[in-house]
Amino acid sequence: GAGVSQSPSNKVTEKGKDVELRCDPISGHTALYWYRQSLGQGLEFLIYFQGNSAPDKSGLPSDRFSAERTGGSVSTLTIQRTQQEDSAVYLCASSKARTLNTGELFFGEGSRLTVL
Amino acid sequence: TQLLEQSPQFLSIQEGENLTVYCNSSSVFSSLQWYRQEPGEGPVLLVTVVTGGEVKKLKRLTFQFGDARKDSSLHITAAQPGDTGLYLCAGGNTGNQFYFGTGTSLTVIP
């Protein structure tokens, strides 16, 4: 597809289980971002990948959260030992901008995570 | 974390009215973007401003970047039901980071 693709679109899990969320960015986009959004609220920055550079993990809320990006394309966000407060929509975005911060972010539709 | 506060948080107006949404921060940003998000979808870019004092117009929408590059405003003239959505500002820094605001939920009643 031409846009950012995220899967699953919905995930319901039990407290304490691990979950993996996948993001397939637009082909050729070197920058990839993960954000978290609570219902009707703003976006909380989680992690940023740019090409082959070390990712900026400064937004990850705890060591239960991790992300990787393989081959400079697909990214996986992993949440271990999920807690109820992890329930949110996880949004992925990609951008072709290499320098300067004026590039447009293209977002996927998000993965809605519910932790029971 | 560089915080951007938006006001108001919620806004419900009649079709044809004008409105202004504000985005404020104590941090300086090298760029400021505005996005609109509809339910079940990701945010979509409306505009990018990069120069302090810059004003951009997009049909009925007017965007302004503050002189000190710490704040921005979005003004909508003669609002339409199609303008309904969540409006998000995002500040960019030299590290290609984008920090999003707290959001303004706009409802335009026909």
Side-chain angles (χ1 to χ4, degrees):
Chain A
V4 177
S5 178
Q6 291 188 245
S7 62
S9 55
N10 279 286
K11 176 71 175 180
V12 180
T13 190
E14 294 181 346
K15 177 181 175 181
K17 300 286 189 181
D18 297 352
V19 297
E20 286 189 351
L21 307 177
R22 176 189 168 104
C23 173
D24 201 341
I26 294 172
S27 178
H29 281 194
T30 59
L32 187 148
Y33 303 78
W34 283 98
Y35 290 90
R36 180 168 68 175
Q37 184 176 34
S38 299
L39 185 62
Q41 301 298 309
L43 277 61
E44 176 189 5
F45 166 74
L46 297 178
I47 188 168
Y48 160 60
F49 296 90
Q50 173 64 285
N52 295 319
S53 302
D56 181 342
K57 304 179 181 180
S58 61
L60 295 178
S62 77
D63 59 8
R64 296 186 297 105
F65 289 73
S66 63
E68 62 178 18
R69 188 179 186 191
T70 54
S73 181
V74 172
S75 178
T76 302
L77 176 68
T78 301
I79 308 173
Q80 295 179 311
R81 304 181 303 281
T82 52
Q83 304 294 312
Q84 289 181 333
E85 60 262 29
D86 299 334
S87 297
V89 176
Y90 289 81
L91 289 162
C92 174
S94 70
S95 172
K96 62 182 178 181
R98 293 179 182 273
T99 59
L100 301 179
N101 51 351
T102 56
E104 177 176 359
L105 298 187
F106 293 84
F107 283 86
E109 294 186 342
S111 292
R112 179 177 297 278
L113 175 65
T114 303
V115 182
L116 302 177
Chain B
T1 302
Q2 297 168 291
L3 297 176
L4 291 107
E5 295 288 336
Q6 289 185 234
S7 61
Q9 185 178 0
F10 298 97
L11 189 55
S12 181
I13 61 171
Q14 295 290 326
E15 181 177 0
E17 293 184 349
N18 302 331
L19 66 114
T20 302
V21 176
Y22 299 93
C23 172
N24 295 291
S25 175
S26 58
S27 300
V28 175
F29 294 99
S30 51
S31 71
L32 199 293
Q33 298 183 327
W34 284 92
Y35 289 79
R36 182 171 70 203
Q37 184 181 24
E38 299 189 14
E41 299 182 5
V44 176
L45 180 69
L46 296 173
V47 76
T48 300
V49 285
V50 297
T51 305
E54 182 177 1
V55 176
K56 277 192 175 179
K57 293 189 176 183
L58 183 66
K59 297 183 179 179
R60 294 177 292 100
L61 278 62
T62 301
F63 305 85
Q64 183 165 8
F65 200 10
D67 291 342
R69 291 185 287 129
K70 293 182 179 181
D71 54 86
S72 180
S73 64
L74 158 60
H75 182 79
I76 301 178
T77 303
Q80 303 294 312
D83 296 328
T84 293
L86 180 67
Y87 288 80
L88 296 158
C89 63
N93 65 18
T94 54
N96 269 350
Q97 281 280 20
F98 289 93
Y99 295 92
F100 279 78
T102 48
T104 295
S105 179
L106 171 65
T107 301
V108 182
I109 303 167

